[in-house]
């Protein structure tokens, strides 16, 4: 409902003269509000009355405030909603989300135009309408279970509506704050109001002079005046007992006081679904409900006709079997949910640095407390509400809250930072003022449950397979039902002794109904077996298992579909630093004073002026820090690996980090930029001199240098010969696989430095006429085993490409060392290409050469994005690694985005699909193995399940049509269904990956799920089972020599043996399904304890059913010879599988032949129809 924002009556001199679509203006005596027309975005505002008494907006909060410096405060809320923003973990694959950004639409456009609703090769950017379409087309018996782990479409739409309302509220708040800020600058008469007195100590703060409510209101309302009342950031830190330089003490007692006074950085979590909820979901299956109703009816009729002692068996056994299926299904689903919960917890547990006790320490996001001082850098997530202490070009992306892509620059005039937002540019430090439920994000997360479900392409395709099989099964069940009912009511159905079961006009109603119920029960049970409800759920099972195992292999899966998509990857675009190399950097060569010095740590070779300038640049132009313990022990370095290597070099040269930093003050910082490949800082010295220091890619910094300092400390002009000397030095170091970094500086006139904060924020640091100080070569050795990992990928049909920001010669040297490039011969463009060259090519030319590219050096994040787009247009399934904020577009665009867990920013991780926790390329290869394992395990399960389906359906249909009875009754079929669905999925979907998976090419995303090899295997096994069991059904009494045992008993023994042999066939065939294309099906079986355990349990239960549960399952005990016959029938499936694998299969999928045949037949009919007309 609309909400009124009310203004006080003191505004009689302010009148509204008009309103546009995007803003409104006011007419005042001193033109106080003219700026609002350009600044205020009023899309949420519906109406403003002529007297400006109130404004209606979409939202749900009521604010009461005054315009011209009067009291401003928050009144009661109309509803429970507050000003929430979206979760920082929001999904990035929802096309309905305006801020999610668009991806490549090539695949999606093909899919939208496809007539097959299950033809979705990628769900990463699939629209809500597309996802809804395939669900509506699926044949589903239990929707709550089938779609449990998919995206909740209804909830997703509700969340988008909620965010739209929230963002309208936020815009209203911003407009109100601008009114307030304008009013506080001056009143109507133009006099400046005196600042209000500082706040009195708040009793609610306990040990602190300010309470949580004051902090929360100040942060939520972005109330600068309240911050000024506290004495600014400095005064607020004193109220919170925090040192802005060294942070809080951070001992246990201090942390406990802060948590008790201000809360912890957690929020009340929605309780997970209990086991009973999963049990209830399992009950929702329509066929199981019908079976329960039939069982109850059969139970009542049986007790009525035969008494409770004998009459309960038929109905009771069916009811018990159904309950058993439901309980086992619920247990399996519940265990999966627990695995997903633990993985989701791991995804949310971000680790970051805080300053405590004067040193930087890494902690969990949940351990942040009010008063903490946090450093912020590009790509970081703001983990709590707070205020800016100091910042350099700090820009925050608040789109998660406002929905607007506008970047907000933070300074002393707008110092408030909100949790969940991202650092888009610059750096700074913040003071935490609110955590957990007291932040806007915490309140939002506590009020909504995050939907972590999603579709995977395999899940969608398997729903299509299940629907097709289910339609066939449903048709068969209806046919069986009709045949049996017709035979029954026409008097053609006889009991075991040969007596007719139904005679019109003679049979009583109760027996007639009981007989009909048994027939319906059999038909419904055929549907239960025929519709492979567990087939799509097997994907979830194998993904849950794989995700847990991948976690142990240092890979955190953020999107389920990435697991299986990785199995189809045809190319991997990998970073160099930290992925192919160890990320353990050391300065090993240095050119200082115009020459190469013998030892990089030899301070004696450096002239004093050059030394002081170099040390000044190292200490000040860095995001890292040096911490030395009071006892004089080992120093600790923080920052990126490159920063730590340079700082370590400075320390070895004798740099006193804290002393050097205290000798000058930082005026402005240009943070290192992956596009510019350099970073700079402007310093003001104690004598007011201005030094501007630059550091970055050696050849780029060198190009801006016009002078250098020689070995005696004199400034010398950079002539052509000296420039060539330095370029050759850079080339030599790069050829030795060293990363080259240059240091330069220049003097600058004090009067040219911007004087205001706004001008300073926009100041572009001068980068011309630089003086070269030094060029260093940093060694980062290749990771052990990376060459073998690259070779393994190449053998598996996956091309590995290196994409790095380093010098092209450094990239070439590392690529040769890693095996990405085979030899030094013929390594020319485009095999080895620079990012700028690739970027400048026309789009068509980029697509033509992209397959040839193996190494891209000096690339920017945009170059990586262009490379990914070109590869995808060429039909590749692309996996991309990335760690920086600017890598996010490429990670999002790729089929699989792989973020680095150690060096990666939070923005990169959020845009990724999988986080490589150890930053190791070998882990990427493990992910590929697991991806292929997911696909292979699903295929194993499909082969196993379809064999059971085909055999069970044919046996029951043929028997029903020919004799009017079925050899496998309802209880037996439910037991077979349990083996096939739940236990079979557990056994086969949890097979660990093998080296054999990496000996085959990637699986195409449009390749058929059921391959020709699988068709061959399942048809051979199904044909064998059907043949043997039908022979036993029709000739079993004579073959088993049961003629003298009486017809009734002989039929029971025969049917029991058929049931026993059928189950044992499935158990032995389960071994065959492990290795569809290998002869040795027992390879590695001892390592899969779950498989062995399930097979063992199945065998034991089968023996119990036959020998001790005869009344329950309508079976009789078998003697040892009959058991031997059953085992022999089952075990023959092993040599039969070996012989079957000797049969060659065509390369073209059978489905393609069938499609061509159908088209040909259709064409013939069309031609005939045309000729007749």
């Amino acid at each position: 409902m609309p909400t009124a924002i009310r203004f006080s009556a003191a505004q009689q001199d302010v009148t509204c003269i008009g309103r546009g679509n995007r803003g409104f203006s006011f007419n005042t005596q001193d033109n106080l509000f003219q700026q609002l027309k350009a600044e205020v975005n009023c899309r949420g505002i519906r109406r403003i009355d002529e007297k400006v008494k109130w404004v209606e907006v979409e939202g749900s909060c009521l604010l009461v405030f005054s315009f011209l410096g009067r009291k401003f405060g928050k009144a009661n809320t109309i509803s429970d909603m507050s000003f929430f923003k979206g979760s920082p973990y929001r999904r990035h694959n929802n096309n309905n989300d305006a801020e999610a950004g668009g991806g490549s639409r090539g695949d999606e456009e093909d899919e939208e135009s496809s007539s097959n609703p299950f033809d979705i090769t990628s769900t990463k950017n699939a629209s809500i309408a597309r996802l809804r379409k395939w669900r509506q087309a699926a044949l589903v018996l239990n929707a709550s279970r089938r779609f449990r782990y998919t995206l909740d479409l209804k909830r997703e739409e509700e969340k988008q509506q909620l965010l739209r309302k929230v963002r309208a509220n936020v815009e209203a708040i911003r407009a109100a704050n601008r009114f307030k800020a304008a009013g506080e600058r001056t009143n109507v008469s133009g006099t400046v109001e005196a600042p209000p007195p500082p706040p009195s100590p708040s009793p609610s703060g306990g040990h602190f002079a300010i309470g949580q409510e004051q902090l929360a209101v100040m942060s939520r309302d972005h109330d600068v005046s309240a911050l000024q009342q506290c004495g600014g950031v400095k005064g607020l830190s004193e109220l919170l007992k925090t040192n802005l330089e060294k942070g809080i003490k951070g001992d246990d007692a201090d942390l406990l006081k802060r948590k008790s006074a201000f809360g912890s950085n957690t929020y009340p979590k929605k309780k997970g679904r209990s086991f009973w909820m999963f049990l209830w979901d399992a009950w929702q299956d329509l066929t199981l409900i019908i079976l329960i109703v039939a069982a109850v009816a059969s139970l009542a009729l049986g007790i009525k006709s035969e008494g409770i002692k004998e009459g309960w068996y038929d109905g009771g056994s069916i009811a018990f079997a159904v309950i058993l299926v439901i309980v086992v299904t619920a247990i399996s689903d519940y265990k999966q949910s627990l695995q997903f919960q633990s993985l989701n917890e791991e995804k949310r547990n971000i680790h970051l640095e805080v300053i405590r006790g004067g040193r930087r320490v890494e902690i969990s996001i949940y351990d942040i407390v009010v008063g903490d001082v946090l450093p912020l850098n590009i790509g970081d997530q703001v983990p709590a509400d707070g205020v800016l202490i100091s910042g350099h070009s700090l820009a925050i992306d608040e789109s998660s809250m406002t929905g607007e892509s506008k970047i907000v620059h933070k300074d002393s005039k707008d110092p408030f930072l909100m949790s969940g937002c991202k650092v888009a540019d610059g750096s700074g430090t913040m003071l935490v003022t609110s955590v957990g439920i007291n932040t806007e994000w915490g309140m939002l997360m506590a009020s909504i449950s995050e939907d972590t479900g999603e579709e995977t392409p395999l899940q969608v395709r398997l729903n299509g397979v299940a629907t097709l099989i289910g339609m066939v099964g449903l048709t068969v069940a209806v046919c069986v039902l009709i045949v049996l009912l017709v035979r029954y009511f026409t008097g053609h159905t006889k009991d075991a002794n040969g007596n007719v079961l139904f005679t019109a006009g003679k049979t009583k109603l109760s027996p007639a109904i009981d007989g009909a119920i048994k027939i319906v029960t059999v038909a419904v049970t055929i549907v239960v077996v025929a519709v492979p409800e567990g087939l799509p759920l097997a994907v979830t099972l194998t993904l849950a298992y794989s995700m847990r195992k991948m976690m142990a292999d240092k890979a955190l899966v953020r999107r389920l579909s990435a697991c299986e998509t990785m199995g189809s990857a045809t190319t991997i675009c990998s970073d160099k630093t930290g992925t192919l190399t160890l990320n353990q950097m050391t300065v090993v060569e240095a050119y200082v004073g115009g020459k190469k010095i013998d030892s990089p740590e030899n301070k004696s070779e450096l002239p004093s002026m050059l030394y002081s300038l170099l040390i000044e640049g190292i200490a000040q132009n860095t995001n890292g820090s040096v911490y030395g313990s009071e006892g004089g022990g080992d120093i600790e370095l923080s920052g990126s690996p490159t920063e730590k290597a340079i700082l370590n070099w400075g320390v070895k040269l004798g740099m006193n980090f804290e002393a050097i930093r205290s000798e000058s003050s930082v005026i402005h910082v240009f943070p290192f930029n992956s596009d510019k490949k350099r970073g700079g800082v402007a310093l003001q010295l104690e004598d007011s001199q201005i030094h501007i220091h630059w550091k970055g890619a050696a050849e780029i910094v060198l190009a801006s240098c016009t002078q250098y300092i020689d070995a005696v400390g004199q400034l010398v002009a950079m002539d052509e010969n000296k420039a060539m000397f330095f370029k050759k030095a850079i080339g030599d170091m790069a050829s030795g696989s060293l990363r080259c970094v240059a240091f330069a500086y220049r003097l600058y006139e004090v009067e040219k430095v911007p004087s205001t904060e706004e001008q300073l924020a926009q100041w572009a640091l001068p980068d011309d006429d630089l003086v070269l100080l030094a060029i260093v070569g940093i060694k980062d050795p290749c990771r052990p085993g990376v060459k073998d990992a690259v070779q393994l990928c190449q053998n598996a049909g996956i091309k590995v490409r290196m994409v790095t920001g380093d010098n092209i010669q450094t990239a070439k040297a590392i690529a040769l060392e890693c095996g990405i490039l085979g030899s030094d011969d013929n390594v020319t463009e485009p095999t080895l290409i620079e990012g700028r060259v690739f970027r400048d090519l026309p789009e068509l030319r980029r697509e033509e050469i992209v397959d040839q590219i193996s190494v891209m050096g000096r690339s920017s994040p945009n170059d990586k994005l262009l490379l990914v787009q070109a590869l995808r247009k060429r039909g590749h399934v692309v996996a991309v690694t990335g760690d920086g904020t600017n890598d996010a577009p490429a990670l999002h665009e790729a089929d699989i985005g792989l973020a680095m867990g150690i060096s990666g920013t939070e923005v990169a991780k959020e845009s990724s699909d999988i986080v490589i926790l150890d930053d190791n390329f070998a882990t990427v290869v493990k992910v590929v193995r697991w991806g292929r394992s997911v696909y292979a395990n699903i295929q194993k399960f499909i082969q196993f399940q379809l064999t059971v389906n085909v055999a069970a359906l044919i046996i029951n249909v043929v028997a029903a049509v020919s004799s009017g009875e079925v050899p496998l009754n309802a209880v037996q079929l439910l037991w077979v269904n349990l083996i096939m669905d739940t236990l079979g999925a557990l056994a086969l979907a949890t097979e660990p990956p093998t080296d054999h998976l990496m000996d085959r090419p990637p699986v195409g995303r449009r390749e058929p799920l059921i391959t020709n090899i699988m068709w061959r295997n399942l048809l051979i096994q199904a044909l064998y089972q059907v043949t043997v069991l039908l022979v036993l059904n029709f000739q079993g009494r004579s073959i088993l020599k049961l003629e003298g045992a009486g017809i009734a008993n002989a039929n029971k023994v025969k049917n029991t043996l058929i049931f026993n042999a059928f189950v044992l066939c499935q158990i032995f065939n389960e071994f065959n399904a492990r290795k569809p294309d290998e002869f040795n099906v027992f390879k590695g079986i001892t390592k899969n304890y779950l498989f062995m355990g399930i097979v063992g349990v199945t065998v034991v239960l089968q023996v119990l059913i036959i020998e001790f549960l005869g009344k329950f399952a309508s079976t009789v005990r078998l003697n040892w010879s009959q058991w031997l016959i059953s085992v022999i029938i089952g075990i023959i499936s092993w040599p039969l599988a070996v012989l079957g694998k000797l049969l060659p299969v065509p390369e073209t999928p059978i489905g393609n032949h069938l499609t061509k045949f159908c088209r040909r037949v259709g064409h013939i009919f069309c031609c005939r129809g045309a000729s007749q007309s």
Side-chain angles (χ1 to χ4, degrees), residues 99-315:
E99 69 271 19
S104 173
R105 291 289 301 159
D107 293 337
E108 285 73 21
E109 286 171 0
D110 292 342
E111 288 164 3
E112 293 292 347
S113 60
S114 172
S115 60
N116 182 3
F118 302 105
D119 186 19
I120 303 179
T121 58
S122 174
T123 59
K124 189 168 182 176
N125 297 307
S127 65
I128 295 291
R130 185 79 173 119
L131 298 179
R132 183 178 285 111
K133 184 178 178 183
W134 77 257
R135 296 188 199 189
Q136 292 171 344
L139 174 64
V140 182
L141 299 179
N142 188 346
S144 61
R145 182 169 182 254
R146 176 81 72 88
F147 301 130
R148 178 183 300 125
Y149 296 108
T150 59
L151 179 65
D152 190 326
L153 302 182
K154 184 178 179 182
R155 185 183 296 172
E156 190 70 11
E157 289 178 340
E158 288 174 352
K159 187 162 71 173
Q160 295 310 316
Q161 292 175 2
L162 172 65
L163 287 176
R164 281 192 289 271
K165 290 180 180 179
V166 167
R167 287 161 182 163
N169 266 337
V170 171
E171 291 303 322
I173 283 251
R174 289 192 164 189
N177 283 336
R178 290 191 181 104
F179 277 120
K180 178 194 167 191
E184 287 178 342
R185 282 197 294 269
T186 180
N187 57 20
V188 176
S189 61
T191 59
V192 178
E193 293 189 352
S200 57
S202 169
S204 63
H207 296 277
F208 303 93
I210 189 169
Q212 177 55 55
E213 182 61 29
Q214 290 172 274
L215 288 172
V217 170
M218 179 173 62
S219 296
R220 183 173 56 244
D221 298 340
H222 290 200
D223 195 342
V224 178
S225 63
L227 179 62
Q228 292 170 350
Q229 290 175 32
C230 296
V233 179
K234 178 69 175 174
L236 183 60
S237 69
E238 291 172 357
L239 295 176
L240 293 173
K241 299 181 181 180
T242 298
N243 185 307
L244 293 180
E245 296 289 331
K246 297 184 177 181
I248 63 175
K249 293 179 183 177
D251 55 34
D252 292 341
D254 184 32
L255 294 176
L256 186 61
K257 287 178 184 177
R258 293 178 186 277
K259 287 181 179 179
S260 61
F262 305 109
S264 60
N265 201 28
T266 56
Y267 52 87
K269 296 173 186 172
K270 300 273 185 186
K271 286 187 177 180
R273 291 164 58 90
S274 67
F275 171 74
W276 304 109
M277 290 297 295
F278 286 95
L279 201 63
W280 174 252
D281 281 349
W283 272 100
Q284 305 306 304
D285 192 312
L286 178 62
T287 53
L288 295 183
I289 293 172
I290 294 172
L291 286 177
I292 285 290
V293 172
V296 171
S298 179
L299 187 66
L301 292 170
I303 293 173
K304 180 182 177 182
S305 60
E306 300 180 32
I308 193 167
K309 190 174 182 180
E310 296 291 332
W312 71 273
Y313 286 122
D314 287 343

Side-chain angles (χ1 to χ4, degrees), residues 779-800:
K779 180 69 175 175
D780 185 13
C782 280
R783 286 184 179 274
V786 73
K787 190 169 186 178
D788 293 336
V790 170
Q791 185 63 48
L792 192 63
C793 284
Q794 291 170 346
N795 294 341
I798 303 170
K799 184 175 177 65
V800 180

